[in-house]
Amino acid sequence: MSMDIIPVRDNRIKTACTDGSNIYFDIDFLSRLSEAERIFVIAHEVWHNVLCHFLRTENRDRKIFNIATDIE
């Protein structure tokens, strides 16, 4: 698996997210994190892909589904 990390500097995202192919980070959010926190967030987004969360959203409310998969 190969994923690109794409910096974002606008209001599309507040922290980080993934679309199943890439990981997107808000530049300001990323700059406030320690190295350990950045590693955690990257791993967190990678696991969303490993567990195919982006394929299982279906017609669910995306915000609630994301919270549920974060708890998972």
Side-chain angles (χ1 to χ4, degrees), residues 13-26:
I13 60 169
K14 295 179 182 179
T15 56
C17 66
T18 183
D19 63 2
S21 300
N22 302 299
I23 296 174
Y24 302 89
F25 279 101
D26 176 79

Side-chain angles (χ1 to χ4, degrees), residues 5-6 18 22 50 54-55 59 67 70 72:
I5 296 177
I6 301 173
T18 183
N22 302 299
V50 169
F54 59 94
L55 294 175
N59 294 329
I67 292 168
D70 285 347
E72 177 188 42

Side-chain angles (χ1 to χ4, degrees), residues 44-45 48 61-71:
H44 172 90
E45 296 303 329
H48 276 300
D61 179 292
R62 293 181 67 83
K63 185 174 182 178
I64 293 172
F65 184 74
N66 187 54
I67 292 168
T69 59
D70 285 347
I71 293 168

